[in-house]
Amino acid sequence: MKQLSNFDEIYQFLATRFGNEKEYLQAVHEVLHDIVPIYNANEQYKAFDVVRRLCLPERIIYFTISWSNSDGDVEVNQGWRVQHNSNMGPYKGGLRFHPSVNVSVLKFLAFEQCFKNALTGLPMGGGKGGSDFNPRGRSDRDIMLFCQAFMRELQRHIGANTDVPAGDINVGAREIGYLYGEYRRLNNKFEGVLTGKGLEFGGSYVRTEATGFGLVYFLDAVCAEHDTHIEGKTVVVSGAGNVALHAALKATQKGAKVISLSNSRGLLHNEAGLSESDINYAIEQHTASDNILRDMDSKKMGQWHENKTPWNLPCDIALPCATQNELHETDAEALIENGCTMVLEGANMPCTNKAQSLFSKHRITYVPGKASNAGGVALSGLEMSQNAMFSQRDPKLLDEELNDIMKHIHSLCVAEGKENGDDYINYMKGANIAAFRRLADAMVAQGI
Ligand code: NDP
């Protein structure tokens, strides 16, 4: 088949084969618009058919996890690892345990991850994995037994120089510890095969905080670009997990008023702004609690509202940090009407396509997660290099390096995202093009 060149041809090629994978097609669609003109302007990119090859995963591993829970009952789950692109380094990207996990969700995440990792400037390819296992309400022992069974299969396909998974939704320090322990026992190797490890066994300082802190460092750069600053701004945050809580903490430390957190069951609202100690309480307790936000309500740290989201609250800045497609067109309308001027994604693809279009139509500053949440994987890259050197670096220096990386990603987005004769910065376009050039050059250099 000849190389494909125009947007419709490439999108149709994918849509006819993967028509039922809506999240994957959504992510690809979002990127193709920006990169196809760059591709068509470069004869080498076309000769190597880089766009179509970049959209397709190099390999998808699918497996069944049959395991015996702590009551001795047999349970069966599905697991995947999408090894999307390794032209820039070992496959790198998190593991997600959630009932909504399927091949479409993981393909979208792995595709996005390649672009994000390219923006960090570190040598990492892109991948993503996970299982439809639902950890909610499970005992610690069940979690351990599941993680061990999951790793018994996954360990065949990963390695410090091959594929280095990390955490994602419902996979935090505890799960990484159990996964790592099983890998080490089976392989008799102590190597940097996972990131997000405990500090006692090869983990890096600042990894836990990195995605949320990095998001706020990026916000700092966006504010500076727009001649303003975070201090005094009213910020709504969605989610109450790793990313949301650390973003809320850093924004508060920088003088913003963070008025919300949320989860899949509702919203915590504090009109006066959460204090640092409220957020630290949530960081310490959230993994142990069934609903940390309801607990915070009972401790007078805010009001809990069942089944509500933060998008109707008046604010200057919105940070969606929970999950994909959580912010719809009507939510975008409400945010714009209530004075929001900046939306930076902490989660992966939290804004639907229609919400994104509305933001650009109203010239709201909108930053996609592949740029603004790249701090987590950047620190993972730094964890990998510390593991390779059997060293552990100073937290202050790592935090400064995270800040520098986020500022650099911001400058790449601005350089590629400024539209001719217009001062509106299209951060999506900037991120897509800057990442694509690096990926495409690496693919051309390495041949077919
Ligand atoms: P966590 O598991 O720590 O937290 C997820 C949070 O999102 C929980 O509060 C959860 O609520 C909430 N949530 C999940 N599903 C929904 C839903 N459908 N509607 C509303 N809220 C929901 O995950 P992380 O904080 O690690 O990840 C959050 C997002 O950030 C994901 O998109 C992830 O891919 C992305 N990300 C994470 C990185 C990391 O370093 N951890 C790096 C880069 C991106 P509940 O408890 O009720 O389920």
Side-chain angles (χ1 to χ4, degrees), residues 96 98 109 116 128 136 167-171 207-208 211 239-244 262-265 286 290 321-324 326 346-349 373-374 376-377:
R96 178 178 292 191
H98 196 273
L109 289 165
K116 184 187 307 190
K128 202 83 187 187
R136 173 154 309 143
D168 191 73
I169 291 180
N170 291 328
V171 180
R207 174 59 190 91
T208 310
T211 310
N242 175 279
V243 179
S262 70
N263 60 25
S264 58
R265 292 151 282 169
H286 79 284
D290 178 52
C321 295
T323 194
Q324 68 267 8
E326 58 165 313
N348 288 313
M349 209 169 73
N373 74 26
V377 76

Side-chain angles (χ1 to χ4, degrees), residues 30-107:
E30 197 174 282
V31 170
L32 282 180
H33 263 298
D34 295 327
I35 65 173
V36 168
I38 309 292
Y39 167 74
N40 278 318
N42 185 311
E43 285 310 315
Q44 275 203 311
Y45 291 175
K46 281 205 288 192
F48 283 87
D49 209 347
V50 290
V51 169
R52 184 166 47 147
R53 289 171 51 222
L54 184 55
C55 290
L56 293 166
E58 290 171 5
R59 191 176 302 108
I60 301 179
I61 298 145
Y62 163 66
F63 47 97
T64 298
I65 306 126
S66 301
W67 59 291
S68 180
N69 68 23
S70 42
D71 294 328
D73 298 327
V74 173
E75 298 201 36
V76 180
N77 289 99
Q78 294 182 287
W80 295 266
R81 183 71 184 164
V82 179
Q83 297 183 331
H84 196 96
N85 191 292
S86 58
N87 279 272
M88 301 196 62
Y91 304 104
K92 181 90 200 85
L95 297 171
R96 178 178 292 191
F97 294 164
H98 196 273
S100 65
V101 165
N102 58 40
V103 78
S104 169
V105 168
L106 294 177
K107 275 175 70 178

